């Protein structure tokens, strides 16, 4: 059965810390992996990764994919209170059409 | 562009009532999906569509119907509401054809008593 697993499920850090969030997957006909940030409302798209070893960066956030070991990490450096959110990992499953499977999310709390 | 819009934002139903959650997008996206989000369960796919006239079931389709008569609209119908359908519902759209990033609507918080 296809699945997406994230760890840790929750994390509390102090402002300025660096955090690493993990996502592992077992999905049929893997194409890509996506990261989303969800604050109190709807998820917003962060990154899409399709190739192993190529880092995607946006400001203090970066992500990398390892297709051999079937995982991705999301790094956040110099965390700020505005980074507090649930971070979701998602993998489209290619069958007849693309269905997207979401992981359970990592709840990150950044305290001053 | 308004992006993905959903109505209503909040709804309370009694067990057995039916209703339709509305979703519309103005980005000319091919793919549209409905998810429900429950504490500890993450986002679960209810139904999805890859174009007008084409729909398919997701992980948790029971008790819900969808149709897609136009590219823009993708309503979700609850046939006979049950307390187990109390949840937050998100509609999402994506361009399709290998572009998987999804754009989510603001969500509908539904309570069934």
């Amino acid at each position: 059965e296809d699945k997406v697993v994230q760890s840790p499920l929750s994390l509390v850090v102090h402002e300025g810390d660096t955090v690493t969030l993990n996502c592992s997957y077992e999905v049929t006909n893997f194409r890509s992996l996506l990261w989303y940030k969800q604050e109190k409302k709807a998820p917003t798209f962060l990154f899409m990764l399709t190739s192993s070893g190529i880092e995607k960066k946006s400001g203090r956030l970066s992500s990398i994919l390892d297709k051999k070991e079937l995982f991705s990490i999301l790094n956040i450096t110099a965390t700020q209170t505005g980074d507090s959110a649930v971070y979701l990992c998602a993998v489209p499953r290619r069958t007849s059409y693309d269905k997207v499977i979401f992981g359970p999310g990592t709840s990150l709390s950044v305290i001053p | 562009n308004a992006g993905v819009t959903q109505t209503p934002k909040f709804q309370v139903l009694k067990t057995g009532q039916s209703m339709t959650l509305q979703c519309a997008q103005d980005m000319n996206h091919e793919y549209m999906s409905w998810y429900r989000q429950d504490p500890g369960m993450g986002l679960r796919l209810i139904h999805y569509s890859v174009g007008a006239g084409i729909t398919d079931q997701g992980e948790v389709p029971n008790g819900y119907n969808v149709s897609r008569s136009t590219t823009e609209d993708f309503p979700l119908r609850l046939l006979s509401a049950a307390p187990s359908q109390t949840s937050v519902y998100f509609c999402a759209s994506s361009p399709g054809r290998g572009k998987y990033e999804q754009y989510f609507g603001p969500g509908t918080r539904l309570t069934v008593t």
Side-chain angles (χ1 to χ4, degrees):
Chain A
E1 183 181 336
D2 294 335
K3 61 181 178 181
V4 176
V5 178
Q6 292 185 247
S7 64
L9 294 180
S10 66
L11 190 56
V12 180
V13 301
H14 287 95
E15 269 192 315
D17 287 350
T18 293
V19 299
T20 298
L21 310 183
N22 303 290
C23 175
S24 62
Y25 60 90
E26 292 178 26
V27 175
T28 308
N29 295 329
F30 175 84
R31 288 287 191 274
S32 62
L33 183 144
L34 298 97
W35 284 97
Y36 291 83
K37 177 182 181 182
Q38 185 175 23
E39 296 174 86
K40 297 220 179 283
K41 301 177 184 176
T44 54
F45 171 71
L46 292 174
F47 299 114
M48 184 169 82
L49 303 154
T50 55
S51 301
S52 268
I54 297 178
E55 187 181 52
K56 290 273 182 104
K57 287 198 75 167
S58 176
R60 295 176 293 102
L61 277 66
S62 64
S63 184
I64 197 160
L65 175 67
D66 186 328
K67 287 167 77 172
K68 183 179 177 186
E69 300 298 330
L70 308 183
F71 78 91
S72 172
I73 60 172
L74 175 68
N75 279 324
I76 309 175
T77 59
T79 51
Q80 301 171 357
T81 55
D83 295 325
S84 295
V86 175
Y87 291 85
L88 297 164
C89 175
V91 180
R93 173 175 168 261
R94 180 83 179 161
T95 53
S96 306
Y97 305 116
D98 296 306
K99 294 184 185 181
V100 179
I101 301 172
F102 280 83
T106 293
S107 176
L108 173 66
S109 297
V110 181
I111 54 178
Chain B
N1 285 355
V4 180
T5 57
Q6 288 183 239
T7 56
K9 286 188 167 53
F10 302 94
Q11 182 71 49
V12 179
L13 291 178
K14 292 188 184 331
T15 297
Q17 287 184 317
S18 63
M19 79 160 294
T20 299
L21 307 184
Q22 301 292 344
C23 174
Q25 54 94 6
D26 61 0
M27 297 175 281
N28 201 31
H29 284 172
E30 287 189 46
Y31 287 12
M32 296 186 75
S33 304
W34 276 102
Y35 295 89
R36 59 177 290 175
Q37 189 171 39
D38 304 292
M41 302 291 290
L43 281 161
R44 291 184 292 169
L45 182 64
I46 305 171
H47 286 286
Y48 67 103
S49 168
V50 298
I54 306 170
T55 64
D56 203 352
Q57 295 180 351
E59 301 170 71
V60 288
N62 292 341
Y64 308 94
N65 272 355
V66 292
S67 59
R68 184 124 178 248
S69 55
T70 66
T71 300
E72 294 78 20
D73 299 300
F74 190 43
L76 177 73
R77 281 181 286 278
L78 279 71
L79 309 173
S80 176
S84 61
Q85 293 179 304
T86 293
S87 188
V88 179
Y89 291 84
F90 289 104
C91 178
S93 73
S94 62
R97 298 186 185 181
K99 297 183 180 179
Y100 301 113
E101 65 273 20
Q102 291 183 300
Y103 298 85
F104 285 81
T108 295
R109 185 174 292 275
L110 175 69
T111 302
V112 183
T113 60

